[in-house]
Amino acid sequence: MLIAKAGINIHWLLTGTGQMLVSAVPEAAPAPPKVVTKINVEALIAAFVGMSQAAPPGQAPKQTAKKAIEFYMYLLEKGMITPDGIGEGDLSNAA
């Protein structure tokens, strides 16, 4: 294919993502999403209740749930909670 021979990245041409030129420095691959195999139910409920109370009037429940899950994942990542309970993380950088 002449386009590929000219150095055009076919993936970029078809999807619009990545580098336009094959010779360009490749982009870093995004980190794979963290997989949670066990859920700290009490912490997730607390995150959802908190997000529900802080939600602006009229916010869709789906959006509130999404924010609660993002907050839960943040707490896991920072070590503030674990799937089994309270974590051992450094609370000094808590937002």
Side-chain angles (χ1 to χ4, degrees):
M1 188 176 224
L2 291 176
I3 294 173
K5 287 182 181 179
I8 303 295
N9 181 344
I10 300 299
H11 180 73
W12 171 83
L13 187 63
L14 296 173
T15 66
T17 60
Q19 297 290 326
M20 181 177 81
L21 301 176
V22 175
S23 61
V25 177
E27 295 177 351
K34 184 174 182 174
V35 176
V36 176
T37 57
K38 186 175 179 185
I39 295 174
N40 182 330
V41 174
E42 293 301 316
L44 184 55
I45 290 170
F48 184 76
V49 169
M51 290 298 163
S52 296
Q53 292 172 346
Q59 179 170 291
K62 185 175 181 177
Q63 185 64 26
T64 302
K66 181 180 177 191
K67 287 182 179 185
I69 292 168
E70 288 171 355
F71 183 60
Y72 175 84
M73 296 301 291
Y74 170 80
L75 293 174
L76 279 175
E77 179 183 315
K78 295 297 181 184
M80 293 178 214
I81 63 170
T82 68
D84 296 316
I86 303 292
E88 300 294 326
D90 178 7
L91 300 179
S92 66
N93 63 357

Coordinates of all heavy atoms in Angstrom, one line a residue:
M1 N 0.8 -1.2 0.0 CA 0.0 0.0 0.0 C 0.9 1.2 0.0 O 1.8 1.4 0.8 CB -0.9 -0.1 1.2 CG -2.0 1.0 1.3 SD -3.0 0.6 2.7 CE -4.6 0.9 2.0
L2 N 0.7 2.2 -0.9 CA 1.5 3.3 -1.0 C 1.5 4.2 0.2 O 2.5 4.8 0.5 CB 1.0 4.1 -2.3 CG 1.3 3.5 -3.6 CD1 0.7 4.4 -4.7 CD2 2.8 3.3 -3.8
I3 N 0.4 4.3 0.9 CA 0.3 5.2 2.1 C 1.2 4.7 3.1 O 2.0 5.5 3.7 CB -1.2 5.2 2.6 CG1 -2.1 5.9 1.6 CG2 -1.3 5.9 3.9 CD1 -3.5 5.9 1.9
A4 N 1.3 3.4 3.4 CA 2.1 2.8 4.4 C 3.6 3.0 4.0 O 4.5 3.3 4.8 CB 1.8 1.3 4.6
K5 N 3.9 2.8 2.7 CA 5.3 3.0 2.2 C 5.7 4.5 2.4 O 6.9 4.8 2.5 CB 5.4 2.6 0.7 CG 5.3 1.1 0.6 CD 5.5 0.7 -0.9 CE 5.4 -0.8 -1.0 NZ 5.6 -1.2 -2.4
A6 N 4.7 5.4 2.4 CA 5.1 6.8 2.5 C 5.3 7.2 4.0 O 5.6 8.3 4.3 CB 3.9 7.7 2.0
G7 N 5.1 6.2 4.9 CA 5.4 6.4 6.3 C 4.1 6.8 7.1 O 4.2 7.2 8.3
I8 N 2.9 6.8 6.5 CA 1.7 7.1 7.2 C 1.3 5.9 8.0 O 1.2 4.8 7.5 CB 0.6 7.5 6.2 CG1 1.0 8.6 5.3 CG2 -0.7 7.8 7.0 CD1 1.2 9.9 6.0
N9 N 0.9 6.1 9.3 CA 0.5 5.1 10.2 C -1.0 4.7 9.8 O -1.9 5.5 9.9 CB 0.5 5.6 11.6 CG 0.1 4.6 12.6 OD1 -0.5 3.6 12.3 ND2 0.4 4.9 13.9
I10 N -1.2 3.5 9.3 CA -2.5 3.1 8.9 C -3.5 3.1 10.0 O -4.7 3.5 9.9 CB -2.4 1.7 8.3 CG1 -1.5 1.6 7.0 CG2 -3.8 1.1 7.9 CD1 -1.9 2.5 5.9
H11 N -3.1 2.7 11.2 CA -4.0 2.8 12.4 C -4.5 4.2 12.6 O -5.6 4.5 12.9 CB -3.2 2.3 13.6 CG -4.1 2.3 14.9 ND1 -5.1 1.4 15.1 CD2 -4.0 3.1 16.0 CE1 -5.7 1.7 16.2 NE2 -5.0 2.7 16.8
W12 N -3.6 5.2 12.5 CA -4.0 6.6 12.7 C -4.9 7.0 11.6 O -5.9 7.7 11.8 CB -2.7 7.5 12.6 CG -3.1 9.0 12.5 CD1 -3.4 9.8 13.6 CD2 -3.2 9.8 11.3 NE1 -3.7 11.0 13.1 CE2 -3.6 11.0 11.7 CE3 -3.1 9.5 10.0 CZ2 -3.9 12.1 10.9 CZ3 -3.3 10.5 9.1 CH2 -3.7 11.8 9.5
L13 N -4.7 6.6 10.4 CA -5.6 6.9 9.2 C -7.0 6.4 9.4 O -8.0 7.0 9.2 CB -5.0 6.3 7.9 CG -5.6 6.8 6.6 CD1 -5.6 8.3 6.4 CD2 -5.0 6.0 5.5
L14 N -7.1 5.1 10.0 CA -8.4 4.5 10.1 C -9.1 5.0 11.4 O -10.3 5.1 11.4 CB -8.2 3.0 10.2 CG -7.7 2.4 8.9 CD1 -7.5 0.9 9.1 CD2 -8.7 2.6 7.7
T15 N -8.4 5.3 12.5 CA -9.0 5.5 13.7 C -8.8 7.0 14.2 O -9.5 7.4 15.1 CB -8.5 4.6 14.8 OG1 -7.1 4.9 15.1 CG2 -8.7 3.1 14.5
G16 N -7.8 7.6 13.7 CA -7.5 9.0 14.2 C -6.7 9.0 15.5 O -6.5 10.0 16.1
T17 N -6.3 7.8 16.0 CA -5.5 7.8 17.2 C -4.1 7.4 17.0 O -3.8 6.7 16.0 CB -6.2 6.8 18.2 OG1 -6.2 5.5 17.7 CG2 -7.6 7.2 18.6
G18 N -3.2 7.8 17.9 CA -1.8 7.4 17.7 C -1.1 8.5 16.9 O -1.6 9.6 16.6
Q19 N 0.1 8.2 16.5 CA 0.9 9.1 15.7 C 0.6 9.0 14.2 O 0.3 7.9 13.7 CB 2.4 8.8 15.9 CG 2.9 8.9 17.3 CD 3.0 10.4 17.7 OE1 3.3 11.3 16.9 NE2 2.7 10.7 19.0
M20 N 0.6 10.1 13.5 CA 0.3 10.2 12.1 C 1.4 9.4 11.3 O 1.1 8.7 10.4 CB 0.2 11.6 11.6 CG -0.2 11.7 10.1 SD -0.5 13.4 9.5 CE 1.2 13.9 9.3
L21 N 2.6 9.6 11.7 CA 3.7 9.1 10.9 C 4.3 7.9 11.6 O 4.5 7.9 12.9 CB 4.8 10.1 10.7 CG 4.4 11.4 9.9 CD1 5.6 12.4 9.9 CD2 3.9 11.0 8.5
V22 N 4.6 6.8 10.9 CA 5.2 5.6 11.5 C 6.6 6.0 12.1 O 6.9 5.4 13.2 CB 5.4 4.5 10.4 CG1 6.1 3.3 11.0 CG2 4.0 4.1 9.9
S23 N 7.3 6.9 11.5 CA 8.6 7.2 12.0 C 8.6 8.1 13.3 O 9.6 8.3 13.9 CB 9.5 7.9 11.0 OG 8.8 9.1 10.6
A24 N 7.4 8.6 13.6 CA 7.3 9.4 14.8 C 7.5 8.6 16.1 O 7.3 7.4 16.1 CB 5.9 10.1 14.9
V25 N 7.8 9.2 17.2 CA 8.0 8.6 18.4 C 6.7 8.0 18.9 O 5.7 8.7 18.9 CB 8.6 9.5 19.5 CG1 8.7 8.9 20.8 CG2 9.9 10.2 19.0
P26 N 6.7 6.7 19.2 CA 5.4 6.1 19.5 C 4.9 6.6 20.9 O 5.7 6.9 21.8 CB 5.7 4.6 19.7 CG 7.2 4.5 19.8 CD 7.8 5.7 19.1
E27 N 3.6 6.7 21.0 CA 3.0 7.1 22.2 C 3.1 6.0 23.3 O 3.1 4.8 22.9 CB 1.5 7.5 22.0 CG 1.3 8.6 21.1 CD -0.2 8.9 20.9 OE1 -1.0 8.1 21.3 OE2 -0.5 9.9 20.3
A28 N 3.2 6.4 24.5 CA 3.2 5.4 25.6 C 1.8 4.7 25.7 O 0.8 5.4 25.6 CB 3.5 6.1 26.9
A29 N 1.8 3.5 25.8 CA 0.5 2.7 26.0 C -0.1 3.1 27.3 O 0.6 3.2 28.3 CB 0.8 1.2 25.9
P30 N -1.4 3.3 27.3 CA -2.1 3.7 28.5 C -2.0 2.5 29.5 O -2.0 1.3 29.1 CB -3.5 3.9 28.1 CG -3.7 3.2 26.8 CD -2.3 3.2 26.1
A31 N -2.0 2.8 30.8 CA -1.9 1.8 31.8 C -3.2 1.0 31.8 O -4.3 1.6 31.6 CB -1.7 2.4 33.2
P32 N -3.1 -0.3 31.9 CA -4.4 -1.1 31.9 C -5.2 -0.7 33.2 O -4.6 -0.4 34.2 CB -3.9 -2.5 32.0 CG -2.5 -2.5 32.5 CD -2.0 -1.1 32.1
P33 N -6.5 -0.8 33.1 CA -7.3 -0.4 34.2 C -7.1 -1.4 35.4 O -6.9 -2.6 35.1 CB -8.8 -0.5 33.7 CG -8.7 -1.3 32.5 CD -7.3 -1.2 31.9
K34 N -7.2 -0.9 36.6 CA -7.0 -1.7 37.7 C -8.3 -2.6 37.9 O -9.4 -2.2 37.8 CB -6.9 -0.9 39.0 CG -6.6 -1.7 40.2 CD -6.3 -0.8 41.4 CE -6.0 -1.6 42.6 NZ -5.5 -0.8 43.7
V35 N -8.0 -3.9 38.1 CA -9.1 -4.9 38.2 C -9.4 -5.1 39.7 O -8.5 -5.4 40.4 CB -8.8 -6.2 37.5 CG1 -9.9 -7.2 37.7 CG2 -8.5 -6.0 36.0
V36 N -10.6 -4.9 40.1 CA -11.0 -5.1 41.5 C -11.7 -6.5 41.5 O -12.7 -6.7 40.8 CB -11.9 -4.0 42.0 CG1 -12.4 -4.3 43.4 CG2 -11.2 -2.7 41.9
T37 N -11.2 -7.4 42.3 CA -11.8 -8.7 42.4 C -12.7 -8.9 43.6 O -13.5 -9.8 43.7 CB -10.8 -9.8 42.3 OG1 -9.8 -9.6 43.4 CG2 -10.0 -9.8 41.0
K38 N -12.5 -8.0 44.6 CA -13.2 -8.0 45.8 C -13.6 -6.6 46.2 O -12.8 -5.7 46.0 CB -12.4 -8.7 46.9 CG -13.1 -8.9 48.2 CD -12.3 -9.7 49.2 CE -13.1 -9.9 50.5 NZ -12.2 -10.5 51.5
I39 N -14.8 -6.4 46.7 CA -15.3 -5.1 46.9 C -15.5 -4.9 48.4 O -16.1 -5.7 49.1 CB -16.6 -4.8 46.2 CG1 -16.4 -4.8 44.7 CG2 -17.2 -3.5 46.6 CD1 -17.6 -4.7 43.8
N40 N -15.0 -3.7 48.9 CA -15.3 -3.3 50.3 C -16.7 -2.7 50.3 O -16.8 -1.5 50.0 CB -14.2 -2.4 50.8 CG -14.4 -1.9 52.2 OD1 -15.5 -1.8 52.7 ND2 -13.3 -1.6 52.8
V41 N -17.7 -3.5 50.5 CA -19.1 -3.0 50.4 C -19.4 -1.8 51.2 O -20.0 -0.9 50.7 CB -20.0 -4.2 50.7 CG1 -21.5 -3.7 50.6 CG2 -19.8 -5.3 49.7
E42 N -18.9 -1.8 52.5 CA -19.2 -0.7 53.3 C -18.6 0.6 52.8 O -19.2 1.7 52.8 CB -18.8 -1.0 54.8 CG -19.6 -2.1 55.4 CD -21.1 -1.7 55.5 OE1 -21.5 -0.6 55.8 OE2 -21.9 -2.7 55.2
A43 N -17.4 0.5 52.3 CA -16.7 1.7 51.8 C -17.4 2.2 50.5 O -17.5 3.4 50.3 CB -15.2 1.4 51.5
L44 N -17.8 1.3 49.7 CA -18.5 1.7 48.4 C -19.9 2.3 48.7 O -20.2 3.3 48.1 CB -18.7 0.5 47.5 CG -19.3 0.8 46.1 CD1 -18.5 1.9 45.4 CD2 -19.4 -0.5 45.3
I45 N -20.6 1.8 49.7 CA -21.9 2.4 50.1 C -21.6 3.8 50.7 O -22.3 4.7 50.3 CB -22.6 1.5 51.2 CG1 -23.1 0.2 50.5 CG2 -23.7 2.2 51.8 CD1 -23.6 -0.9 51.5
A46 N -20.6 3.9 51.5 CA -20.3 5.2 52.1 C -19.9 6.2 51.0 O -20.3 7.4 51.0 CB -19.1 5.1 53.1
A47 N -19.1 5.8 50.0 CA -18.8 6.7 48.9 C -20.0 7.1 48.1 O -20.2 8.2 47.7 CB -17.8 6.0 47.9
F48 N -21.0 6.1 47.9 CA -22.2 6.4 47.1 C -23.1 7.4 47.9 O -23.6 8.4 47.4 CB -23.0 5.2 46.8 CG -24.2 5.5 45.9 CD1 -24.0 5.8 44.6 CD2 -25.4 5.5 46.5 CE1 -25.1 6.1 43.8 CE2 -26.5 5.8 45.7 CZ -26.4 6.1 44.4
V49 N -23.2 7.2 49.2 CA -24.0 8.0 50.0 C -23.4 9.5 50.0 O -24.2 10.5 49.9 CB -24.2 7.5 51.5 CG1 -24.8 8.5 52.4 CG2 -25.0 6.2 51.5
G50 N -22.1 9.5 50.2 CA -21.5 10.8 50.2 C -21.6 11.6 48.9 O -21.9 12.8 48.8
M51 N -21.5 10.9 47.8 CA -21.6 11.5 46.5 C -23.1 11.9 46.2 O -23.4 12.9 45.6 CB -21.2 10.5 45.3 CG -19.7 10.3 45.3 SD -18.8 11.9 45.0 CE -17.2 11.4 45.5
S52 N -24.0 11.1 46.7 CA -25.5 11.4 46.6 C -25.8 12.7 47.3 O -26.5 13.6 46.9 CB -26.3 10.3 47.1 OG -26.2 9.1 46.3
Q53 N -25.2 12.8 48.5 CA -25.5 14.0 49.3 C -24.8 15.3 48.7 O -25.3 16.4 48.9 CB -25.0 13.8 50.8 CG -25.8 12.8 51.5 CD -25.2 12.4 52.9 OE1 -24.0 12.8 53.2 NE2 -26.0 11.7 53.7
A54 N -23.7 15.1 48.1 CA -23.0 16.2 47.5 C -23.4 16.5 46.0 O -23.0 17.5 45.5 CB -21.5 16.0 47.5
A55 N -24.2 15.7 45.5 CA -24.6 15.9 44.1 C -25.4 17.1 43.9 O -26.3 17.4 44.7 CB -25.4 14.6 43.6
P56 N -25.2 17.8 42.8 CA -26.0 19.0 42.5 C -27.4 18.6 42.1 O -27.6 17.5 41.7 CB -25.3 19.6 41.2 CG -24.4 18.6 40.7 CD -24.1 17.6 41.8
P57 N -28.4 19.4 42.4 CA -29.8 19.1 42.1 C -29.9 18.7 40.6 O -29.4 19.3 39.7 CB -30.5 20.4 42.4 CG -29.7 21.2 43.3 CD -28.2 20.8 42.9
G58 N -30.7 17.6 40.4 CA -30.9 17.2 39.0 C -29.9 16.3 38.4 O -30.0 15.8 37.3
Q59 N -28.8 16.0 39.2 CA -27.7 15.1 38.6 C -28.3 13.7 38.5 O -28.9 13.2 39.4 CB -26.5 15.1 39.5 CG -25.4 14.2 39.0 CD -24.1 14.3 39.7 OE1 -23.5 15.3 39.6 NE2 -23.7 13.3 40.5
A60 N -28.0 13.1 37.3 CA -28.5 11.8 37.1 C -27.9 10.8 38.0 O -26.7 10.8 38.4 CB -28.2 11.4 35.6
P61 N -28.7 9.8 38.5 CA -28.2 8.8 39.4 C -27.0 8.0 38.8 O -26.1 7.7 39.6 CB -29.4 7.8 39.6 CG -30.6 8.7 39.4 CD -30.2 9.6 38.3
K62 N -27.0 7.8 37.5 CA -25.9 7.1 36.9 C -24.6 7.9 37.1 O -23.5 7.3 37.3 CB -26.2 6.9 35.4 CG -25.2 6.0 34.7 CD -25.6 5.7 33.3 CE -24.6 4.9 32.6 NZ -25.0 4.6 31.2
Q63 N -24.7 9.2 36.9 CA -23.5 10.0 37.1 C -23.0 10.0 38.5 O -21.8 10.0 38.8 CB -23.8 11.5 36.6 CG -22.6 12.4 36.7 CD -21.5 12.0 35.7 OE1 -21.8 11.3 34.7 NE2 -20.3 12.4 36.0
T64 N -24.0 10.0 39.5 CA -23.6 10.0 40.9 C -22.9 8.7 41.2 O -21.9 8.6 41.9 CB -24.8 10.1 41.8 OG1 -25.5 11.4 41.5 CG2 -24.5 10.1 43.3
A65 N -23.4 7.6 40.7 CA -22.8 6.2 40.9 C -21.4 6.2 40.3 O -20.5 5.6 40.9 CB -23.7 5.2 40.3
K66 N -21.3 6.7 39.1 CA -20.0 6.8 38.4 C -18.9 7.5 39.3 O -17.8 7.0 39.5 CB -20.1 7.4 37.1 CG -18.8 7.4 36.3 CD -18.9 8.1 34.9 CE -17.6 8.1 34.3 NZ -17.6 8.9 33.1
K67 N -19.3 8.6 39.8 CA -18.4 9.4 40.7 C -18.1 8.6 42.0 O -16.9 8.7 42.4 CB -19.0 10.8 41.0 CG -19.0 11.7 39.8 CD -19.6 13.1 40.2 CE -19.5 14.0 39.0 NZ -20.0 15.4 39.4
A68 N -19.1 7.9 42.5 CA -18.8 7.2 43.7 C -17.8 6.0 43.5 O -16.9 5.8 44.3 CB -20.1 6.6 44.3
I69 N -18.0 5.4 42.3 CA -17.0 4.3 42.0 C -15.6 4.9 41.7 O -14.6 4.3 42.2 CB -17.6 3.5 40.8 CG1 -18.8 2.7 41.2 CG2 -16.5 2.6 40.2 CD1 -19.6 2.1 40.0
E70 N -15.5 6.0 41.0 CA -14.2 6.7 40.8 C -13.6 7.0 42.1 O -12.4 6.8 42.3 CB -14.4 7.9 39.9 CG -14.7 7.6 38.5 CD -15.1 8.8 37.7 OE1 -15.2 9.9 38.3 OE2 -15.3 8.7 36.5
F71 N -14.4 7.5 43.1 CA -13.8 7.9 44.4 C -13.4 6.6 45.1 O -12.3 6.6 45.8 CB -14.9 8.6 45.2 CG -14.4 9.1 46.6 CD1 -13.3 9.9 46.7 CD2 -15.0 8.7 47.7 CE1 -12.8 10.4 47.9 CE2 -14.6 9.1 49.0 CZ -13.5 9.9 49.1
Y72 N -14.2 5.5 45.1 CA -13.8 4.3 45.7 C -12.5 3.8 45.1 O -11.6 3.4 45.9 CB -14.9 3.3 45.4 CG -14.6 1.9 45.9 CD1 -14.8 1.5 47.3 CD2 -14.1 0.9 45.1 CE1 -14.6 0.2 47.7 CE2 -13.9 -0.4 45.5 CZ -14.1 -0.7 46.8 OH -13.8 -2.0 47.3
M73 N -12.3 3.8 43.8 CA -11.1 3.4 43.2 C -9.9 4.2 43.6 O -8.8 3.7 43.8 CB -11.2 3.4 41.6 CG -12.3 2.4 41.1 SD -12.0 0.7 41.6 CE -10.5 0.4 40.6
Y74 N -10.1 5.5 43.7 CA -9.1 6.5 44.2 C -8.7 6.1 45.6 O -7.5 6.0 45.9 CB -9.6 7.9 44.2 CG -8.7 8.9 44.9 CD1 -7.6 9.4 44.2 CD2 -9.0 9.3 46.2 CE1 -6.8 10.3 44.9 CE2 -8.2 10.2 46.8 CZ -7.1 10.7 46.2 OH -6.3 11.6 46.8
L75 N -9.6 5.8 46.5 CA -9.3 5.4 47.9 C -8.5 4.1 47.9 O -7.5 3.9 48.7 CB -10.6 5.2 48.7 CG -11.3 6.5 49.0 CD1 -12.7 6.2 49.7 CD2 -10.5 7.5 49.8
L76 N -8.9 3.1 47.0 CA -8.1 1.9 46.9 C -6.7 2.1 46.4 O -5.7 1.6 47.0 CB -8.8 0.9 45.9 CG -9.9 0.1 46.4 CD1 -10.5 -0.7 45.3 CD2 -9.5 -0.8 47.5
E77 N -6.6 3.0 45.4 CA -5.3 3.3 44.8 C -4.3 3.9 45.8 O -3.1 3.6 45.9 CB -5.5 4.2 43.6 CG -4.2 4.6 42.9 CD -4.4 5.6 41.8 OE1 -5.3 5.4 41.0 OE2 -3.7 6.6 41.7
K78 N -4.9 4.8 46.6 CA -4.1 5.6 47.6 C -3.8 4.7 48.9 O -3.1 5.1 49.8 CB -4.7 6.9 48.0 CG -4.8 7.9 46.8 CD -3.4 8.2 46.4 CE -3.5 9.2 45.3 NZ -2.2 9.6 44.7
G79 N -4.5 3.6 49.0 CA -4.3 2.7 50.1 C -5.0 3.1 51.3 O -4.8 2.7 52.5
M80 N -6.0 4.0 51.2 CA -6.8 4.5 52.3 C -7.8 3.5 52.7 O -8.3 3.5 53.9 CB -7.5 5.8 51.9 CG -6.5 7.0 51.8 SD -7.4 8.4 51.3 CE -6.2 9.2 50.3
I81 N -8.2 2.6 51.8 CA -9.1 1.5 52.1 C -8.5 0.3 51.4 O -7.6 0.4 50.5 CB -10.5 1.7 51.6 CG1 -10.6 1.8 50.1 CG2 -11.2 2.8 52.4 CD1 -12.0 1.8 49.6
T82 N -8.9 -0.9 51.8 CA -8.5 -2.1 51.1 C -9.8 -2.9 50.8 O -10.9 -2.5 51.4 CB -7.6 -3.0 52.0 OG1 -8.4 -3.5 53.1 CG2 -6.4 -2.3 52.5
P83 N -9.8 -3.9 50.0 CA -11.1 -4.6 49.8 C -11.6 -5.3 51.1 O -12.8 -5.6 51.2 CB -10.7 -5.7 48.8 CG -9.5 -5.1 48.1 CD -8.8 -4.3 49.1
D84 N -10.7 -5.4 52.1 CA -11.2 -6.0 53.4 C -11.4 -5.0 54.5 O -11.9 -5.3 55.6 CB -10.1 -7.0 53.9 CG -9.9 -8.1 52.9 OD1 -11.0 -8.7 52.5 OD2 -8.8 -8.5 52.6
G85 N -11.1 -3.7 54.3 CA -11.3 -2.7 55.4 C -10.5 -1.5 55.2 O -10.2 -1.1 54.1
I86 N -10.1 -0.9 56.3 CA -9.3 0.3 56.3 C -7.9 0.0 55.8 O -7.3 -1.0 56.2 CB -9.3 0.9 57.7 CG1 -10.7 1.2 58.3 CG2 -8.4 2.2 57.7 CD1 -11.4 2.3 57.5
G87 N -7.4 0.9 55.0 CA -6.0 0.7 54.5 C -4.9 1.2 55.3 O -5.1 1.7 56.4
E88 N -3.7 1.1 54.8 CA -2.5 1.5 55.5 C -1.9 2.7 54.8 O -0.7 3.0 55.0 CB -1.5 0.3 55.6 CG -2.0 -0.9 56.4 CD -2.3 -0.6 57.8 OE1 -1.5 0.2 58.4 OE2 -3.2 -1.2 58.4
G89 N -2.6 3.3 53.9 CA -2.0 4.4 53.0 C -1.7 5.6 53.8 O -2.1 5.8 54.9
D90 N -0.9 6.5 53.1 CA -0.5 7.8 53.7 C -1.7 8.7 53.5 O -2.0 9.1 52.4 CB 0.7 8.2 52.9 CG 1.2 9.6 53.4 OD1 0.7 10.1 54.4 OD2 2.1 10.1 52.8
L91 N -2.3 9.1 54.6 CA -3.5 10.0 54.5 C -3.1 11.5 54.3 O -3.9 12.3 54.1 CB -4.3 9.9 55.8 CG -4.9 8.5 56.0 CD1 -5.7 8.5 57.3 CD2 -5.8 8.1 54.8
S92 N -1.8 11.8 54.3 CA -1.3 13.2 54.2 C -1.6 13.8 52.8 O -1.7 15.0 52.7 CB 0.2 13.3 54.5 OG 0.9 12.6 53.5
N93 N -1.8 12.9 51.8 CA -2.0 13.5 50.4 C -3.5 13.3 50.0 O -3.8 13.3 48.9 CB -1.1 12.8 49.4 CG -1.3 11.3 49.3 OD1 -2.1 10.7 50.0 ND2 -0.6 10.7 48.4
A94 N -4.4 13.0 51.0 CA -5.8 12.9 50.7 C -6.4 14.2 50.2 O -6.0 15.3 50.8 CB -6.5 12.4 51.9
A95 N -7.2 14.1 49.2 CA -7.8 15.4 48.6 C -9.0 15.7 49.4 O -9.7 15.0 49.9 CB -8.1 15.1 47.2

